[in-house]
Amino acid sequence: MSFSPRDFRDCLGQFATGVAVVTARANNGTKAGITINSFASVSLEPALVLFSVDRRAATHELFAGDCNRFCINILTQGQQPLSELFSSPVQDRWEDVLFEDDGHGVPKLVGSLATFSCKRHAIHDGGDHSIIVGQVKDIGLGKTGDPLLYYGGRYHSIEDIPSGNS
Ligand SMILES: Cc1cc2nc3c(=O)[nH]c(=O)nc-3n(C[C@H](O)[C@H](O)[C@H](O)COP(=O)(O)O)c2cc1C
């Protein structure tokens, strides 16, 4: 490899993304969620989307294991605290979180910009991540508002994305 992991991460960070929380419910009823920015659309017909989950993440076992339903919640700028919550080692991430059932037993975050209720379609090897492909069964267009953005390893609002590399 002709580059360091740090340089690789810095280059990846030049790709500005939105932020989502993927939520699910384990067979024993426990709610789970993880902040991701690896969301991508895959196919229109059938409707497929994907995200990748780190093999070291506590939720990996769920998303790549026995849980075959999940909901991808696209966050608004105002939901940055939820992004922080679902990306930090908090004992009970759900204590103060407003959610409702997505109609398939999966908790859906109230106030999201859009939601994709998915049935797992495929799992692919993605190196130290697993690539989870979901078939979209239901969608929700939620609040109007600005998306939460992630760029250069930091959160941004849509107005403050700088131009150039400075
Ligand atoms: C903006 C942002 C995007 C992230 N994207 C991903 C991602 O796409 N896949 C992933 O596995 N982790 C991602 N993470 C890291 C996880 O959210 C974090 O490691 C989380 O604590 C894992 O939770 P778990 O160990 O309970 O599963 C992201 C974190 C942030 C702040």
Side-chain angles (χ1 to χ4, degrees), residues 62-124:
L62 187 68
F63 289 116
D66 51 329
C67 168
N68 68 349
R69 289 267 182 188
F70 53 86
C71 183
I72 300 177
N73 304 266
I74 310 295
L75 301 189
T76 64
Q77 212 178 298
Q79 288 175 310
Q80 183 177 328
L82 286 178
S83 176
E84 290 163 352
L85 181 68
F86 283 98
S87 60
S88 45
V90 175
Q91 193 67 15
D92 181 7
R93 287 176 174 159
W94 290 87
E95 207 165 45
D96 297 318
V97 173
L98 280 180
F99 67 91
E100 57 194 25
D101 193 282
D102 74 342
H104 304 275
V106 178
K108 172 170 100 168
L109 301 181
V110 171
S112 303
L113 264 189
T115 53
F116 300 87
S117 288
C118 300
K119 186 166 184 204
R120 197 173 59 203
H121 175 77
I123 308 172
H124 297 291

Short mmCIF file of all heavy atoms in Angstrom, two decimals, residues 62-124:
data_model
loop_
_atom_site.label_atom_id
_atom_site.label_comp_id
_atom_site.label_asym_id
_atom_site.label_seq_id
_atom_site.Cartn_x
_atom_site.Cartn_y
_atom_site.Cartn_z
N LEU A 62 -26.11 -8.26 15.07
CA LEU A 62 -27.55 -8.14 14.80
C LEU A 62 -27.82 -7.95 13.31
O LEU A 62 -28.57 -8.71 12.70
CB LEU A 62 -28.08 -6.95 15.61
CG LEU A 62 -29.58 -6.73 15.62
CD1 LEU A 62 -30.25 -7.86 16.39
CD2 LEU A 62 -29.88 -5.40 16.31
N PHE A 63 -27.15 -6.95 12.72
CA PHE A 63 -27.45 -6.62 11.32
C PHE A 63 -26.98 -7.72 10.36
O PHE A 63 -27.61 -7.94 9.32
CB PHE A 63 -26.81 -5.28 10.93
CG PHE A 63 -27.48 -4.11 11.58
CD1 PHE A 63 -26.81 -3.30 12.48
CD2 PHE A 63 -28.81 -3.81 11.31
CE1 PHE A 63 -27.43 -2.23 13.09
CE2 PHE A 63 -29.46 -2.75 11.91
CZ PHE A 63 -28.76 -1.96 12.81
N ALA A 64 -25.89 -8.39 10.70
CA ALA A 64 -25.38 -9.45 9.82
C ALA A 64 -25.87 -10.81 10.30
O ALA A 64 -25.54 -11.83 9.70
CB ALA A 64 -23.86 -9.41 9.78
N GLY A 65 -26.64 -10.83 11.40
CA GLY A 65 -27.07 -12.09 11.99
C GLY A 65 -28.57 -12.29 11.90
O GLY A 65 -29.15 -12.24 10.81
N ASP A 66 -29.20 -12.45 13.05
CA ASP A 66 -30.59 -12.90 13.04
C ASP A 66 -31.62 -11.82 12.75
O ASP A 66 -32.81 -12.11 12.63
CB ASP A 66 -30.92 -13.61 14.37
CG ASP A 66 -30.51 -12.77 15.57
OD1 ASP A 66 -29.54 -12.03 15.44
OD2 ASP A 66 -31.17 -12.86 16.62
N CYS A 67 -31.22 -10.56 12.59
CA CYS A 67 -32.20 -9.51 12.38
C CYS A 67 -32.34 -9.21 10.88
O CYS A 67 -31.40 -8.74 10.25
CB CYS A 67 -31.74 -8.26 13.11
SG CYS A 67 -32.64 -6.81 12.67
N ASN A 68 -33.49 -9.47 10.33
CA ASN A 68 -33.61 -9.26 8.88
C ASN A 68 -34.52 -8.09 8.51
O ASN A 68 -34.89 -7.92 7.35
CB ASN A 68 -34.03 -10.54 8.16
CG ASN A 68 -35.43 -10.94 8.51
OD1 ASN A 68 -36.03 -10.37 9.43
ND2 ASN A 68 -35.98 -11.90 7.77
N ARG A 69 -34.88 -7.30 9.49
CA ARG A 69 -35.64 -6.06 9.24
C ARG A 69 -34.88 -4.90 9.87
O ARG A 69 -34.36 -5.02 10.97
CB ARG A 69 -37.01 -6.12 9.91
CG ARG A 69 -37.97 -7.08 9.27
CD ARG A 69 -38.81 -6.34 8.26
NE ARG A 69 -39.78 -7.22 7.64
CZ ARG A 69 -40.54 -6.88 6.62
NH1 ARG A 69 -40.46 -5.67 6.12
NH2 ARG A 69 -41.39 -7.73 6.09
N PHE A 70 -34.83 -3.78 9.20
CA PHE A 70 -34.23 -2.59 9.80
C PHE A 70 -34.80 -1.36 9.13
O PHE A 70 -35.47 -1.45 8.08
CB PHE A 70 -32.69 -2.62 9.68
CG PHE A 70 -32.16 -2.85 8.29
CD1 PHE A 70 -31.97 -1.80 7.41
CD2 PHE A 70 -31.84 -4.14 7.86
CE1 PHE A 70 -31.48 -2.02 6.14
CE2 PHE A 70 -31.36 -4.37 6.58
CZ PHE A 70 -31.18 -3.31 5.72
N CYS A 71 -34.58 -0.23 9.77
CA CYS A 71 -35.09 1.04 9.23
C CYS A 71 -33.93 2.03 9.15
O CYS A 71 -33.18 2.19 10.12
CB CYS A 71 -36.19 1.56 10.16
SG CYS A 71 -36.96 3.06 9.55
N ILE A 72 -33.79 2.66 8.00
CA ILE A 72 -32.74 3.66 7.83
C ILE A 72 -33.39 5.03 7.96
O ILE A 72 -34.30 5.37 7.19
CB ILE A 72 -32.03 3.49 6.47
CG1 ILE A 72 -31.40 2.09 6.41
CG2 ILE A 72 -30.97 4.58 6.27
CD1 ILE A 72 -30.72 1.75 5.10
N ASN A 73 -32.95 5.77 8.98
CA ASN A 73 -33.54 7.08 9.30
C ASN A 73 -32.56 8.17 8.89
O ASN A 73 -31.46 8.28 9.45
CB ASN A 73 -33.78 7.18 10.81
CG ASN A 73 -34.65 6.06 11.36
OD1 ASN A 73 -35.86 6.21 11.47
ND2 ASN A 73 -34.03 4.92 11.70
N ILE A 74 -32.95 8.98 7.91
CA ILE A 74 -32.07 10.06 7.43
C ILE A 74 -32.26 11.27 8.34
O ILE A 74 -33.39 11.76 8.51
CB ILE A 74 -32.41 10.45 5.97
CG1 ILE A 74 -32.48 9.20 5.06
CG2 ILE A 74 -31.43 11.49 5.43
CD1 ILE A 74 -31.18 8.47 4.88
N LEU A 75 -31.15 11.75 8.91
CA LEU A 75 -31.24 12.76 9.97
C LEU A 75 -31.28 14.20 9.45
O LEU A 75 -30.64 14.54 8.46
CB LEU A 75 -30.06 12.63 10.93
CG LEU A 75 -29.90 11.29 11.66
CD1 LEU A 75 -28.82 11.42 12.73
CD2 LEU A 75 -31.19 10.79 12.25
N THR A 76 -32.01 15.02 10.19
CA THR A 76 -31.99 16.46 9.97
C THR A 76 -30.83 17.06 10.78
O THR A 76 -30.31 16.41 11.70
CB THR A 76 -33.28 17.14 10.47
OG1 THR A 76 -33.34 16.97 11.89
CG2 THR A 76 -34.52 16.54 9.85
N GLN A 77 -30.52 18.30 10.45
CA GLN A 77 -29.48 19.01 11.21
C GLN A 77 -29.81 19.03 12.71
O GLN A 77 -28.93 18.86 13.55
CB GLN A 77 -29.44 20.43 10.69
CG GLN A 77 -28.10 21.07 10.72
CD GLN A 77 -28.19 22.45 10.13
OE1 GLN A 77 -28.53 22.61 8.96
NE2 GLN A 77 -27.93 23.44 10.95
N GLY A 78 -31.08 19.19 13.01
CA GLY A 78 -31.52 19.25 14.42
C GLY A 78 -31.38 17.92 15.15
O GLY A 78 -31.48 17.86 16.38
N GLN A 79 -31.17 16.86 14.39
CA GLN A 79 -31.02 15.53 15.02
C GLN A 79 -29.56 15.15 15.27
O GLN A 79 -29.28 13.99 15.56
CB GLN A 79 -31.70 14.46 14.16
CG GLN A 79 -33.23 14.53 14.20
CD GLN A 79 -33.86 13.52 13.24
OE1 GLN A 79 -33.48 13.45 12.07
NE2 GLN A 79 -34.79 12.74 13.74
N GLN A 80 -28.65 16.11 15.19
CA GLN A 80 -27.23 15.80 15.45
C GLN A 80 -27.04 15.09 16.81
O GLN A 80 -26.23 14.16 16.89
CB GLN A 80 -26.37 17.07 15.37
CG GLN A 80 -24.88 16.76 15.56
CD GLN A 80 -24.00 18.00 15.41
OE1 GLN A 80 -24.31 18.90 14.64
NE2 GLN A 80 -22.91 18.03 16.15
N PRO A 81 -27.79 15.51 17.87
CA PRO A 81 -27.63 14.79 19.14
C PRO A 81 -27.93 13.29 19.00
O PRO A 81 -27.31 12.47 19.68
CB PRO A 81 -28.63 15.47 20.07
CG PRO A 81 -28.77 16.86 19.52
CD PRO A 81 -28.66 16.71 18.03
N LEU A 82 -28.87 12.93 18.11
CA LEU A 82 -29.17 11.50 17.90
C LEU A 82 -28.00 10.81 17.22
O LEU A 82 -27.66 9.67 17.53
CB LEU A 82 -30.43 11.33 17.05
CG LEU A 82 -31.76 11.61 17.74
CD1 LEU A 82 -32.91 11.44 16.76
CD2 LEU A 82 -31.94 10.68 18.94
N SER A 83 -27.37 11.51 16.27
CA SER A 83 -26.20 10.95 15.61
C SER A 83 -25.10 10.70 16.63
O SER A 83 -24.45 9.64 16.62
CB SER A 83 -25.71 11.91 14.52
OG SER A 83 -24.52 11.41 13.95
N GLU A 84 -24.90 11.67 17.53
CA GLU A 84 -23.86 11.52 18.56
C GLU A 84 -24.21 10.37 19.51
O GLU A 84 -23.36 9.56 19.87
CB GLU A 84 -23.70 12.84 19.32
CG GLU A 84 -23.06 13.91 18.43
CD GLU A 84 -23.22 15.33 18.94
OE1 GLU A 84 -23.96 15.56 19.92
OE2 GLU A 84 -22.63 16.23 18.34
N LEU A 85 -25.49 10.30 19.86
CA LEU A 85 -25.94 9.25 20.79
C LEU A 85 -25.70 7.85 20.21
O LEU A 85 -25.17 6.96 20.88
CB LEU A 85 -27.43 9.45 21.07
CG LEU A 85 -28.12 8.49 22.01
CD1 LEU A 85 -27.61 8.70 23.43
CD2 LEU A 85 -29.64 8.73 21.98
N PHE A 86 -26.08 7.68 18.94
CA PHE A 86 -26.01 6.34 18.34
C PHE A 86 -24.62 6.02 17.78
O PHE A 86 -24.44 5.01 17.11
CB PHE A 86 -27.09 6.18 17.27
CG PHE A 86 -28.46 5.95 17.85
CD1 PHE A 86 -29.36 6.99 17.99
CD2 PHE A 86 -28.83 4.69 18.30
CE1 PHE A 86 -30.61 6.79 18.55
CE2 PHE A 86 -30.08 4.48 18.87
CZ PHE A 86 -30.97 5.53 18.99
N SER A 87 -23.65 6.89 18.09
CA SER A 87 -22.27 6.58 17.70
C SER A 87 -21.35 6.58 18.92
O SER A 87 -20.14 6.56 18.79
CB SER A 87 -21.76 7.58 16.66
OG SER A 87 -21.78 8.89 17.18
N SER A 88 -21.96 6.63 20.11
CA SER A 88 -21.11 6.65 21.31
C SER A 88 -21.49 5.49 22.24
O SER A 88 -22.61 4.97 22.17
CB SER A 88 -21.24 8.00 22.02
OG SER A 88 -22.58 8.37 22.09
N PRO A 89 -20.55 5.11 23.10
CA PRO A 89 -20.78 3.95 23.96
C PRO A 89 -21.67 4.27 25.15
O PRO A 89 -21.23 4.35 26.28
CB PRO A 89 -19.36 3.56 24.40
CG PRO A 89 -18.58 4.82 24.33
CD PRO A 89 -19.21 5.69 23.29
N VAL A 90 -22.95 4.50 24.86
CA VAL A 90 -23.92 4.81 25.92
C VAL A 90 -24.62 3.51 26.29
O VAL A 90 -24.95 2.71 25.40
CB VAL A 90 -24.95 5.85 25.42
CG1 VAL A 90 -26.04 6.10 26.44
CG2 VAL A 90 -24.25 7.14 25.04
N GLN A 91 -24.86 3.32 27.57
CA GLN A 91 -25.46 2.06 28.03
C GLN A 91 -26.85 1.85 27.40
O GLN A 91 -27.08 0.86 26.73
CB GLN A 91 -25.56 2.08 29.56
CG GLN A 91 -25.87 0.73 30.18
CD GLN A 91 -24.71 -0.28 29.99
OE1 GLN A 91 -23.59 0.12 29.66
NE2 GLN A 91 -24.98 -1.56 30.14
N ASP A 92 -27.76 2.82 27.65
CA ASP A 92 -29.09 2.70 27.03
C ASP A 92 -29.31 3.88 26.10
O ASP A 92 -29.68 4.97 26.51
CB ASP A 92 -30.18 2.66 28.08
CG ASP A 92 -31.56 2.50 27.44
OD1 ASP A 92 -31.63 2.29 26.20
OD2 ASP A 92 -32.57 2.57 28.16
N ARG A 93 -29.09 3.64 24.80
CA ARG A 93 -29.21 4.72 23.82
C ARG A 93 -30.65 5.19 23.64
O ARG A 93 -30.89 6.25 23.09
CB ARG A 93 -28.68 4.24 22.47
CG ARG A 93 -27.16 4.12 22.43
CD ARG A 93 -26.71 3.56 21.12
NE ARG A 93 -25.26 3.58 21.02
CZ ARG A 93 -24.57 2.81 20.18
NH1 ARG A 93 -25.19 1.96 19.39
NH2 ARG A 93 -23.26 2.88 20.15
N TRP A 94 -31.62 4.39 24.08
CA TRP A 94 -33.00 4.65 23.74
C TRP A 94 -33.78 5.40 24.82
O TRP A 94 -34.95 5.71 24.62
CB TRP A 94 -33.71 3.33 23.40
CG TRP A 94 -33.22 2.78 22.11
CD1 TRP A 94 -32.14 1.97 21.92
CD2 TRP A 94 -33.76 3.03 20.81
NE1 TRP A 94 -31.98 1.70 20.58
CE2 TRP A 94 -32.97 2.33 19.88
CE3 TRP A 94 -34.84 3.78 20.35
CZ2 TRP A 94 -33.22 2.36 18.51
CZ3 TRP A 94 -35.10 3.81 18.99
CH2 TRP A 94 -34.29 3.11 18.09
N GLU A 95 -33.11 5.68 25.95
CA GLU A 95 -33.82 6.21 27.11
C GLU A 95 -34.71 7.41 26.78
O GLU A 95 -35.89 7.42 27.13
CB GLU A 95 -32.81 6.58 28.20
CG GLU A 95 -33.40 6.50 29.58
CD GLU A 95 -32.28 6.49 30.62
OE1 GLU A 95 -31.35 7.31 30.49
OE2 GLU A 95 -32.36 5.66 31.54
N ASP A 96 -34.17 8.42 26.08
CA ASP A 96 -34.95 9.64 25.82
C ASP A 96 -35.28 9.81 24.33
O ASP A 96 -35.53 10.93 23.89
CB ASP A 96 -34.15 10.87 26.30
CG ASP A 96 -33.93 10.82 27.80
OD1 ASP A 96 -34.88 10.47 28.51
OD2 ASP A 96 -32.79 11.11 28.24
N VAL A 97 -35.27 8.73 23.58
CA VAL A 97 -35.44 8.82 22.12
C VAL A 97 -36.91 8.64 21.74
O VAL A 97 -37.56 7.69 22.17
CB VAL A 97 -34.55 7.77 21.41
CG1 VAL A 97 -34.85 7.73 19.92
CG2 VAL A 97 -33.08 8.05 21.66
N LEU A 98 -37.40 9.57 20.92
CA LEU A 98 -38.78 9.47 20.44
C LEU A 98 -38.82 8.57 19.21
O LEU A 98 -38.13 8.83 18.22
CB LEU A 98 -39.29 10.85 20.04
CG LEU A 98 -39.77 11.78 21.15
CD1 LEU A 98 -40.25 13.09 20.55
CD2 LEU A 98 -40.87 11.11 21.95
N PHE A 99 -39.63 7.53 19.27
CA PHE A 99 -39.71 6.61 18.14
C PHE A 99 -41.14 6.09 18.00
O PHE A 99 -41.95 6.21 18.91
CB PHE A 99 -38.71 5.45 18.30
CG PHE A 99 -39.04 4.52 19.44
CD1 PHE A 99 -39.83 3.40 19.25
CD2 PHE A 99 -38.57 4.79 20.72
CE1 PHE A 99 -40.14 2.56 20.31
CE2 PHE A 99 -38.88 3.96 21.79
CZ PHE A 99 -39.66 2.84 21.58
N GLU A 100 -41.42 5.54 16.84
CA GLU A 100 -42.70 4.86 16.63
C GLU A 100 -42.44 3.61 15.82
O GLU A 100 -41.36 3.46 15.23
CB GLU A 100 -43.70 5.79 15.94
CG GLU A 100 -43.22 6.34 14.62
CD GLU A 100 -44.07 7.51 14.12
OE1 GLU A 100 -44.71 8.18 14.96
OE2 GLU A 100 -44.07 7.75 12.90
N ASP A 101 -43.41 2.71 15.79
CA ASP A 101 -43.24 1.46 15.04
C ASP A 101 -43.36 1.76 13.55
O ASP A 101 -44.19 2.55 13.12
CB ASP A 101 -44.33 0.47 15.47
CG ASP A 101 -44.03 -0.92 14.98
OD1 ASP A 101 -44.25 -1.20 13.78
OD2 ASP A 101 -43.58 -1.75 15.79
N ASP A 102 -42.50 1.13 12.77
CA ASP A 102 -42.53 1.40 11.32
C ASP A 102 -43.55 0.52 10.59
O ASP A 102 -43.60 0.52 9.36
CB ASP A 102 -41.13 1.21 10.70
CG ASP A 102 -40.73 -0.25 10.57
OD1 ASP A 102 -41.34 -1.11 11.24
OD2 ASP A 102 -39.82 -0.54 9.78
N GLY A 103 -44.35 -0.21 11.37
CA GLY A 103 -45.34 -1.10 10.76
C GLY A 103 -44.81 -2.50 10.58
O GLY A 103 -45.55 -3.41 10.19
N HIS A 104 -43.51 -2.69 10.86
CA HIS A 104 -42.89 -4.01 10.72
C HIS A 104 -42.17 -4.40 12.01
O HIS A 104 -41.26 -5.24 11.98
CB HIS A 104 -41.90 -4.02 9.55
CG HIS A 104 -42.52 -3.60 8.26
ND1 HIS A 104 -43.20 -4.47 7.43
CD2 HIS A 104 -42.61 -2.39 7.67
CE1 HIS A 104 -43.65 -3.82 6.38
NE2 HIS A 104 -43.32 -2.55 6.49
N GLY A 105 -42.52 -3.74 13.10
CA GLY A 105 -41.91 -4.07 14.39
C GLY A 105 -40.59 -3.39 14.66
O GLY A 105 -39.93 -3.67 15.67
N VAL A 106 -40.19 -2.49 13.77
CA VAL A 106 -38.89 -1.83 13.92
C VAL A 106 -39.10 -0.40 14.40
O VAL A 106 -39.97 0.31 13.88
CB VAL A 106 -38.13 -1.82 12.56
CG1 VAL A 106 -36.80 -1.09 12.68
CG2 VAL A 106 -37.93 -3.24 12.05
N PRO A 107 -38.33 0.04 15.40
CA PRO A 107 -38.48 1.43 15.86
C PRO A 107 -37.96 2.43 14.82
O PRO A 107 -36.87 2.26 14.29
CB PRO A 107 -37.63 1.48 17.14
CG PRO A 107 -36.67 0.36 17.03
CD PRO A 107 -37.30 -0.69 16.16
N LYS A 108 -38.80 3.42 14.55
CA LYS A 108 -38.47 4.45 13.53
C LYS A 108 -38.33 5.77 14.27
O LYS A 108 -39.18 6.09 15.11
CB LYS A 108 -39.65 4.46 12.55
CG LYS A 108 -39.67 5.51 11.53
CD LYS A 108 -40.77 5.21 10.52
CE LYS A 108 -42.03 6.01 10.80
NZ LYS A 108 -43.02 5.95 9.71
N LEU A 109 -37.27 6.53 13.99
CA LEU A 109 -37.01 7.77 14.75
C LEU A 109 -37.97 8.87 14.30
O LEU A 109 -38.04 9.20 13.11
CB LEU A 109 -35.57 8.21 14.56
CG LEU A 109 -34.49 7.21 15.00
CD1 LEU A 109 -33.09 7.79 14.79
CD2 LEU A 109 -34.68 6.80 16.46
N VAL A 110 -38.67 9.45 15.26
CA VAL A 110 -39.62 10.53 14.96
C VAL A 110 -38.84 11.78 14.55
O VAL A 110 -37.83 12.12 15.17
CB VAL A 110 -40.49 10.81 16.21
CG1 VAL A 110 -41.33 12.07 16.03
CG2 VAL A 110 -41.37 9.61 16.53
N GLY A 111 -39.30 12.44 13.49
CA GLY A 111 -38.70 13.71 13.09
C GLY A 111 -37.60 13.58 12.05
O GLY A 111 -36.95 14.57 11.72
N SER A 112 -37.39 12.35 11.53
CA SER A 112 -36.34 12.18 10.51
C SER A 112 -36.77 12.80 9.19
O SER A 112 -37.96 12.95 8.91
CB SER A 112 -36.05 10.69 10.31
OG SER A 112 -35.70 10.12 11.54
N LEU A 113 -35.80 13.09 8.34
CA LEU A 113 -36.09 13.67 7.02
C LEU A 113 -36.80 12.67 6.14
O LEU A 113 -37.70 13.00 5.37
CB LEU A 113 -34.78 14.05 6.32
CG LEU A 113 -34.25 15.45 6.41
CD1 LEU A 113 -33.08 15.60 5.46
CD2 LEU A 113 -35.33 16.48 6.09
N ALA A 114 -36.34 11.41 6.19
CA ALA A 114 -36.93 10.33 5.40
C ALA A 114 -36.60 9.02 6.09
O ALA A 114 -35.60 8.93 6.83
CB ALA A 114 -36.36 10.34 3.99
N THR A 115 -37.44 8.02 5.87
CA THR A 115 -37.17 6.70 6.44
C THR A 115 -37.34 5.64 5.35
O THR A 115 -38.20 5.77 4.47
CB THR A 115 -38.11 6.36 7.61
OG1 THR A 115 -39.46 6.54 7.19
CG2 THR A 115 -37.83 7.24 8.82
N PHE A 116 -36.51 4.60 5.44
CA PHE A 116 -36.58 3.46 4.53
C PHE A 116 -36.72 2.21 5.40
O PHE A 116 -35.77 1.84 6.10
CB PHE A 116 -35.30 3.35 3.69
CG PHE A 116 -35.02 4.56 2.83
CD1 PHE A 116 -34.33 5.64 3.34
CD2 PHE A 116 -35.46 4.61 1.52
CE1 PHE A 116 -34.07 6.77 2.56
CE2 PHE A 116 -35.22 5.73 0.72
CZ PHE A 116 -34.52 6.80 1.24
N SER A 117 -37.89 1.60 5.37
CA SER A 117 -38.09 0.34 6.11
C SER A 117 -37.69 -0.80 5.21
O SER A 117 -38.26 -0.97 4.13
CB SER A 117 -39.56 0.19 6.51
OG SER A 117 -39.86 1.10 7.51
N CYS A 118 -36.75 -1.59 5.67
CA CYS A 118 -36.12 -2.59 4.79
C CYS A 118 -36.22 -3.99 5.34
O CYS A 118 -36.24 -4.21 6.55
CB CYS A 118 -34.63 -2.28 4.63
SG CYS A 118 -34.29 -0.68 3.93
N LYS A 119 -36.23 -4.92 4.39
CA LYS A 119 -36.02 -6.33 4.70
C LYS A 119 -34.65 -6.66 4.15
O LYS A 119 -34.32 -6.24 3.02
CB LYS A 119 -37.09 -7.16 4.00
CG LYS A 119 -37.06 -8.59 4.36
CD LYS A 119 -38.34 -9.29 3.92
CE LYS A 119 -38.25 -10.70 4.44
NZ LYS A 119 -39.05 -11.61 3.67
N ARG A 120 -33.84 -7.38 4.93
CA ARG A 120 -32.48 -7.65 4.45
C ARG A 120 -32.53 -8.51 3.18
O ARG A 120 -33.21 -9.52 3.12
CB ARG A 120 -31.67 -8.35 5.54
CG ARG A 120 -30.17 -8.28 5.27
CD ARG A 120 -29.38 -8.81 6.43
NE ARG A 120 -29.75 -10.18 6.70
CZ ARG A 120 -29.57 -10.79 7.88
NH1 ARG A 120 -29.03 -10.15 8.88
NH2 ARG A 120 -29.94 -12.04 8.06
N HIS A 121 -31.80 -8.06 2.19
CA HIS A 121 -31.80 -8.70 0.87
C HIS A 121 -30.53 -9.53 0.68
O HIS A 121 -30.56 -10.61 0.10
CB HIS A 121 -31.89 -7.60 -0.19
CG HIS A 121 -31.79 -8.06 -1.59
ND1 HIS A 121 -32.84 -8.66 -2.25
CD2 HIS A 121 -30.76 -8.02 -2.48
CE1 HIS A 121 -32.46 -8.97 -3.48
NE2 HIS A 121 -31.21 -8.60 -3.64
N ALA A 122 -29.40 -9.00 1.16
CA ALA A 122 -28.11 -9.69 0.99
C ALA A 122 -27.10 -9.13 1.98
O ALA A 122 -27.23 -7.99 2.45
CB ALA A 122 -27.59 -9.49 -0.43
N ILE A 123 -26.10 -9.94 2.27
CA ILE A 123 -24.95 -9.49 3.06
C ILE A 123 -23.71 -9.82 2.23
O ILE A 123 -23.57 -10.95 1.75
CB ILE A 123 -24.83 -10.24 4.40
CG1 ILE A 123 -26.15 -10.18 5.17
CG2 ILE A 123 -23.70 -9.67 5.24
CD1 ILE A 123 -26.15 -11.08 6.41
N HIS A 124 -22.85 -8.83 2.05
CA HIS A 124 -21.63 -9.06 1.27
C HIS A 124 -20.41 -8.78 2.14
O HIS A 124 -20.45 -7.94 3.04
CB HIS A 124 -21.59 -8.13 0.05
CG HIS A 124 -22.71 -8.38 -0.91
ND1 HIS A 124 -22.81 -9.52 -1.68
CD2 HIS A 124 -23.80 -7.63 -1.21
CE1 HIS A 124 -23.89 -9.46 -2.43
NE2 HIS A 124 -24.52 -8.33 -2.16
#
